[in-house]
Amino acid sequence: MTRSKDSVEEFERALLTIDRARASDILELLNEGMSPIEVVEQTIVPALEWIGDAWESGDVALSQVYMSGRICEELVDTFLPPADEKRKRQPVTAIAALEDHHALGKRIVYSSLRASGYELTDYGHGITADKLVERSVADGIEVLLVSTLMLRSALKVEALAAGLKKAGSGARIIVGGAPFLFDERLWREVGASAMGRDASDAMRLMTELNGAL
Amino acid sequence: MDQPSTTSLERTLTTLGHNEPDRVPLFLFLTMHGAKELGMSLAEYFSRPENVVEGQMRLRARYGHDCVYPLFYAAAEVEAWGGEVLFFDDGPPNAGEPIIRKRSDITSLEPPRVSESPVLQKSLRAIELLKSEVGDEAPVIAAAISPFSLPVMQMGFDSYLDLIYEDRELFWRLMEVNQEFHVEWVNAQLDAGATAIGYFDPVSSGTIIPRELYLETGYEIASRVTERANGPLAIHLASGRCLPIIDDIIASGAAVVGVSALEDIRLLKAACSGRITILGNLNGIEMRRWTHEEAESAVKEAIAGAGQGGGFILADNHGEIPFQVPDEVLFAVSEAARKWGSYPLDWVDEYGV
């Protein structure tokens, strides 16, 4: 198969219909002769970005975004294992669902970033701001991705930002989740560095930070 | 102008019949503000049905809205299934760790009995007491999580999506068990005096799953439940998008649909007019920081978009107003609903549509 817009779209279609085998076959054919990181950057990342943007505009559903991220994460792990030196150079990054026990948003961003060649530590869900400060400082985290579903959890980002600052951490906090989608001023109010509307936003923000840090 | 002879129930029933009552009904879905009224923590407030009843009555006296809302908290249903519930001082209790930890747990899962669940019995008692307080003057709006959406709390969202896509047989086994519980719970609330049930089904929304999957799953389940429920259901997608599936929601038998602030209310009105009543669509998250003017503007915009001809109840878009929303904003919403919601809505044609 030659690389063409049609074939990349076919890969996207396989992801959206949750057809793992088809996605794997297309990827293999599309990327003959390419390096693993080229595969990631020229096929996986554009596909996941397109799917994320399509969710934002209401054209695909969150379940499709989630499953696409998972499939890509699994496919990438087969040819670019975790900790492989060919993975991207990046700031030290972690992700957590702050206070919240709703972990889907975190899982989607985690999978999408891993499928894009990033490595990040998963601090889990239901973690308090104090604990997150402690772990971030101990691990020298430079970028902290924070997912929330409940408004009360989103408001705890303020305590997290204050705690990190007090502890001398310069970690950038990128927030995401429903409260930030429904109130676009909220991320600034709670002292985050940026807000990602969806997984593709998170991927773009990571690329920007990769250049800046 | 208000007609004092029109009760909240009459106002609501008129709009449900797609006719214009004296004014747009206002439902303030306040589950937690009663605790502030009573000077209690949320855990203490929800420990006794009498507290919830007192809170609801005081809030309605204060804001003059058109329903009472005896919902304790969504996670109460998981509590009935033996799950852990975590209380906070500043927000709704959350479900803790999932009760279904591995897929094989579904095989042996049995539905809890409503009569044996202390938390559900408290909720039923609150409904009974509220019904005896308001009689036929105002609707008692109860709530239940749909069998299709409950697994988000029973097993975690990601595990649940994996199940839907990867093991449809086990998925249907879970749905059968959940439906048995759900129908018993819904009908117990109706028997206790609830006027209607908010059927909370966020997973069915176009935000979460594609329409073709919804038709195979959430739609099928909603249709089955509607047939077995002994009263009306209002489908609420809890801020999720409904436009992609609005015709299907109507076909499933619902009388009301809760709509999202993220969708154009005029498009929603065009799709729903004369077919299903719109409930919404005030942005509960932004509401926390609204000024008086912003509250009035949001109310005016919603009424302009969906009020004409009835078939519209003004409410927040999530079915639960956040604890952080201040009293001043609730007053401003209530005042604006009266100011701009009186029929006929002569001002709407002049409004910047």
Side-chain angles (χ1 to χ4, degrees), chain B residues 22-246:
Chain B
D22 60 335
R23 60 178 163 82
V24 171
L26 170 67
F27 284 7
L28 291 179
F29 292 129
L30 298 166
T31 57
M32 295 168 277
H33 285 68
K36 283 186 201 167
E37 286 288 325
L38 272 60
M40 293 176 178
S41 69
L42 288 167
E44 185 184 2
Y45 179 66
F46 290 123
S47 69
R48 295 177 66 243
E50 292 79 6
N51 296 341
V52 173
V53 172
E54 179 66 18
Q56 285 295 312
M57 295 307 291
R58 285 198 201 181
L59 291 166
R60 185 153 181 265
R62 173 182 284 197
Y63 300 116
H65 53 285
D66 290 299
C67 73
V68 287
Y69 193 46
L71 171 66
F72 278 43
Y73 44 89
E77 289 192 28
V78 173
E79 201 174 327
W81 286 80
E84 174 194 26
V85 172
L86 308 169
F87 281 88
F88 304 100
D89 292 335
D90 52 359
N94 271 13
E97 291 304 317
I99 55 164
I100 299 170
R101 291 170 187 270
K102 52 187 189 305
R103 281 189 196 173
S104 57
D105 292 346
I106 294 170
T107 314
S108 56
L109 197 66
E110 292 295 331
R113 297 307 308 264
V114 171
S115 60
E116 293 167 7
S117 163
V119 67
L120 300 185
Q121 287 301 310
K122 276 191 291 188
S123 300
L124 291 176
R125 182 66 182 146
I127 292 170
E128 285 169 1
L129 292 171
L130 277 170
K131 180 63 182 174
S132 69
E133 290 278 354
V134 301
D136 291 330
E137 194 274 318
V140 178
I141 306 299
I145 311 299
S146 85
F148 184 54
S149 291
L150 190 64
V152 172
M153 290 191 285
Q154 289 175 305
M155 62 189 300
F157 213 149
D158 48 354
S159 301
Y160 181 44
L161 290 178
D162 293 343
L163 177 75
I164 293 174
Y165 280 110
E166 293 169 358
D167 193 338
R168 201 54 71 82
E169 192 179 333
L170 211 49
F171 161 79
W172 279 112
R173 154 77 187 150
L174 179 58
M175 291 304 102
E176 292 301 325
V177 178
N178 282 1
Q179 279 175 81
E180 287 313 303
F181 165 74
H182 181 85
V183 169
E184 187 187 352
W185 173 223
V186 160
N187 286 334
Q189 294 189 83
L190 291 165
D191 289 345
T195 314
I197 303 291
Y199 178 87
F200 278 84
D201 195 16
V203 178
S204 281
S205 80
T207 305
I208 305 295
I209 59 169
R211 178 171 177 261
E212 53 274 25
L213 182 56
Y214 163 70
L215 290 176
E216 291 171 14
T217 55
Y219 170 80
E220 189 64 34
I221 292 154
S223 304
R224 291 181 196 179
V225 167
T226 306
E227 273 179 21
R228 294 175 65 193
N230 300 328
L233 299 185
I235 291 193
H236 206 305
L237 304 181
S239 310
R241 290 186 171 98
C242 71
L243 264 175
I245 56 168
I246 192 65

Side-chain angles (χ1 to χ4, degrees), chain A residues 185, chain B residues 26 28 281-283 286-303 314 325-340 351:
Chain A
R185 292 192 217 163
Chain B
L26 170 67
L28 291 179
N281 75 339
L282 303 176
N283 185 328
E286 280 188 357
M287 201 182 276
R288 183 182 64 89
R289 58 165 174 76
W290 277 349
T291 62
H292 190 283
E293 292 70 29
E294 285 171 329
E296 179 170 359
S297 172
V299 166
K300 200 174 170 185
E301 176 68 20
I303 292 174
L314 182 65
V325 174
D327 294 353
E328 296 73 29
V329 172
L330 298 173
F331 270 122
V333 167
S334 179
E335 192 182 300
R338 281 180 162 69
K339 180 177 175 184
W340 298 104
Y351 187 71

Side-chain angles (χ1 to χ4, degrees), chain B residues 12-27:
Chain B
T12 304
L13 291 174
T14 303
T15 210
L16 289 174
H18 300 277
N19 292 304
E20 295 184 349
D22 60 335
R23 60 178 163 82
V24 171
L26 170 67
F27 284 7

Side-chain angles (χ1 to χ4, degrees), chain A residues 12 41 43-55 112 116 198-205 207:
Chain A
E12 290 163 358
E41 288 177 348
T43 305
I44 304 268
V45 170
L48 289 178
E49 283 189 349
W50 180 86
I51 289 169
D53 291 343
W55 178 71
S112 299
S116 306
D198 49 50
S200 51
D201 249 8
M203 289 154 67
R204 281 189 282 265
L205 286 164
T207 306

Side-chain angles (χ1 to χ4, degrees), chain A residues 80 110 180:
Chain A
L80 194 60
Y110 179 82
F180 300 104

